[in-house]
Amino acid sequence: MSAPDPAGPRRVRPLGPRAALVECADLHDAVAVRARLAAADLPGLVDCVAGAETVVVRASTTAALRDILRAARAAPRGRAGAGGARTVTIDVVYDGEDLATVGELTGLGADGVVRAHSEQAWTAAFAGFAPGFFYCAGEDGLDVPRRDTPRTAVPAGSVALAGRFSAVYPRSSPGGWQLIGRSAARMFDLDRDDPALLRPGDRVRYRPVRDLVEITPAAAEPAPVRGPHLRVGAPGLQTLVQDGGRAGSAALGVSPSGALDAAAAGSANRLVGNGPGAAVLENLLGGLELTAHGEHVLAVTGARAALTVTGPAPWRPPLGTPFALRDGERLVIGTVTAGARIYVGVRGGVAVPPVLGSRSADTLAGLGPDPLTAGEALPVGPDPGTAVRLPEPVPAPPAVSTVRVVPGPRDDWFAPTAVASFFAQEWELATSSDRVGARLSGEPLARVRTDELPSEGTVPGCVQVPPSGLPVVLLQDGPTTGGYPVLGVVHPEDLAVLAQLRPGGRLRFSPVPAPGLGAPSPGDTAAGGTDRPAPVSTATVSSTETSAGTSPETSPETATDTSQE
């Protein structure tokens, strides 16, 4: 990817209907632009994430996005670390498994690598992959390739190099970076007022030490649940607490999370009289049993399944309708017959403690409550004092779903025939799909560019295409940055379609124009850089249908490959 002329205007590329990618002169300019936008208190700015050479901005409306992009275009060229940046010192024991290898790769030897790493200042450029995982850019020399074979588990605290970046792994996870040492620094700690040790633009110094002082925080005992609550009898395959999510923390590597089918979750809350921010239960494929302790009002929406209330007078409440669950009665949700995810709203909301302002479970980062287990008690919040709503219809999913996609920002990395194939063929949801990403099976898409894309920000709905050529649609728990080209972005209102698709289910993509992103600056030829909607490529209009088979169900814990770390 070529950077824009440092003396010319910044180019802008659409990233769906309410987000855009701003191309910057270099990494330092990207960090500086992100800092300016984040500090400007711009109305409608939801998230702002720097990448290696770009800034991604996400807005609440298209109109707000245009105003934010005007500010981004007008921002002067900058350098990372300016404007009140802190200096953070991280103690390191340099005994990593790959230290000798890095010494050979760089020609510096192990001791030379230690000196080069510890005697220069690094800049915390951007976060991604996991909360607190910061890509720190150096000022000198070190440029190291990733390992040929990534490790399946890198220990938490590992100090690593990849390309021209250094990072500390905040938690144990798979990874392909070269390990040169270890640190006891807690890169992301929810017990601190500011959980992330680093912020974009901070200066980082790595200090060699012989030993580390590691302080293990005492695990807090969960408070006993008192008052009205629901007790889990059977949790089903996967049941999670979800609300509106954690928008606004993407710059720290924190995914938005939240309900995958926001419409179904919203309906469950409306039916029982809750406000839109109340937490609900998101259940995968049914099999959930809940027993009432106290008097409750519930509603079940989303996928279709039979509901049964057992007690003195067993009965079957309908979907999409508020109903009473009296003290001692049990709600049994049967196996899903259509769709994939069921949402259970309870009057007062599920009142588990919030984490970073949200009660949502983030399956990639491990934030929020764990998946429900048998015997667990779920506290219920106070009665909202509002009326319940009339029943709302629960539509049956179509045999083949159609999902709107705004092409770009990296559709020019693919052959025109590949873009046409993406929109023409019928895709199948793979069994390895989860809340991080929907993996698709079909005809692989050929790229015309095979070089590595510098990491850049993502939003839910990004259609990443890894080297296999098979797309992955990032969902609510997806990483906040990525290194695979994004062919297009699913319209936010259509993400619910993917939430309700079962493995083996089929879908098609339909191209829709990008919004106009404001008047172009001289020389700005990027898609969406005019007041007119960006044209859809003529390569995307084919609609020939093909057949697809089915594949078996798998565990929701199967990891989705959406990262190169």
Side-chain angles (χ1 to χ4, degrees), residues 67 111 137 184-185 192 207 242 260 318 327 375 381 392 411 439 443 487 519 540 543:
D67 292 339
D111 290 342
R192 293 192 298 244
R207 180 169 59 194
Q242 297 293 343
L260 287 191
D327 186 43
E392 298 183 4
D411 50 339
R439 294 176 66 90
E443 279 297 316
L487 185 150
T540 67
S543 60

Side-chain angles (χ1 to χ4, degrees), residues 10 22 24-40 48-55 71-72 74-83 85 123-126 200-202:
R10 292 190 177 88
V22 181
C24 299
D26 54 25
L27 171 69
H28 299 290
D29 186 43
V31 175
V33 170
R34 192 218 71 86
R36 282 184 174 273
L37 295 178
C48 186
V49 181
E53 298 173 0
T54 58
V55 173
R77 304 292 164 184
R79 295 287 296 174
T123 299
F126 57 93
D202 282 350

Side-chain angles (χ1 to χ4, degrees), residues 479-519:
T480 59
T481 61
Y484 297 135
V486 172
L487 185 150
V489 180
V490 172
H491 196 288
E493 294 174 5
D494 289 358
L495 288 173
V497 175
L498 293 162
Q500 295 299 350
L501 201 64
R502 301 174 69 172
R506 293 170 294 155
L507 76 159
R508 299 173 53 83
F509 295 102
S510 173
V512 294
L517 297 181

Side-chain angles (χ1 to χ4, degrees), residues 96-503:
E97 295 179 33
D98 301 322
L99 181 59
T101 300
V102 173
E104 293 175 3
L105 289 170
T106 59
L108 297 174
D111 290 342
V113 171
V114 173
R115 286 193 298 272
H117 189 256
S118 61
E119 291 179 1
Q120 65 173 302
W122 298 77
T123 299
F126 57 93
F129 175 57
F133 186 99
F134 265 89
Y135 294 69
C136 296
E139 298 175 346
D140 266 333
L142 287 175
D143 194 343
V144 181
R146 287 178 171 86
R147 289 170 52 90
D148 293 336
T149 303
R151 291 179 171 88
T152 56
V154 175
S158 294
V159 180
L161 295 170
R164 53 200 175 108
F165 295 106
S166 175
V168 180
Y169 280 78
R171 62 194 298 245
S172 179
S173 58
W177 288 38
Q178 305 279 1
L179 307 186
I180 63 171
R182 54 194 168 89
S183 175
R186 301 185 68 83
M187 305 305 294
F188 197 84
D189 186 352
L190 291 172
D191 290 333
R192 293 192 298 244
D193 291 338
D194 190 349
L197 180 64
L198 301 178
R199 291 273 174 174
D202 282 350
R203 307 289 276 178
V204 179
R205 290 280 185 179
Y206 295 101
R207 180 169 59 194
V209 296
R210 293 184 181 274
D211 297 296
L212 298 172
V213 177
E214 301 192 39
I215 301 174
T216 303
E221 289 291 330
V225 175
R226 307 183 191 282
H229 63 276
L230 300 172
R231 189 166 295 276
V232 180
L237 184 62
Q238 183 189 66
T239 302
L240 304 168
V241 177
Q242 297 293 343
D243 57 15
R246 299 183 179 84
S249 296
L252 304 180
V254 178
S255 303
S257 198
L260 287 191
D261 187 342
S267 175
N269 270 326
R270 283 194 304 274
L271 288 168
V272 298
N274 288 339
V280 300
L281 298 180
E282 178 183 274
N283 164 265
L284 181 62
L285 299 178
L288 174 63
E289 297 181 9
L290 301 169
T291 299
H293 289 253
E295 306 290 318
H296 299 282
V297 176
L298 276 67
V300 180
T301 61
R304 293 195 168 192
L307 308 181
T308 303
V309 171
T310 65
W315 67 295
R316 293 181 175 274
L319 294 170
T321 302
F323 61 92
L325 193 68
R326 303 190 184 282
D327 186 43
E329 291 184 331
R330 180 177 59 170
L331 170 66
V332 178
I333 299 177
T335 301
V336 164
T337 58
R341 288 179 170 83
I342 286 171
Y343 291 85
V344 181
V346 56
R347 186 171 177 83
V350 180
V352 297
V355 176
L356 297 182
S358 169
R359 294 181 167 89
S360 288
D362 183 334
T363 58
L364 178 65
L367 297 178
D370 293 331
L372 300 192
T373 57
E376 183 174 355
L378 296 170
V380 175
D383 191 295
T386 55
V388 298
R389 296 284 290 269
L390 294 174
E392 298 183 4
V394 178
V400 179
S401 300
T402 300
V403 174
R404 293 170 292 172
V405 169
V406 176
R410 302 298 177 196
D411 50 339
D412 53 357
W413 280 54
F414 300 87
T417 53
V419 178
S421 175
F422 173 73
F423 287 105
Q425 66 176 292
E426 199 172 273
W427 296 91
E428 181 180 300
L429 188 71
T431 56
S432 55
S433 300
D434 54 19
R435 282 182 50 87
V436 176
R439 294 176 66 90
L440 305 179
S441 297
E443 279 297 316
L445 305 177
R447 282 165 53 172
V448 294
R449 291 186 59 173
T450 57
D451 50 316
E452 187 171 320
L453 176 71
S455 294
E456 53 193 26
T458 63
V459 298
C462 278
V463 183
Q464 287 190 334
V465 184
S468 68
L470 296 177
V472 179
V473 183
L474 297 185
L475 300 178
Q476 293 300 110
D477 289 355
T480 59
T481 61
Y484 297 135
V486 172
L487 185 150
V489 180
V490 172
H491 196 288
E493 294 174 5
D494 289 358
L495 288 173
V497 175
L498 293 162
Q500 295 299 350
L501 201 64
R502 301 174 69 172

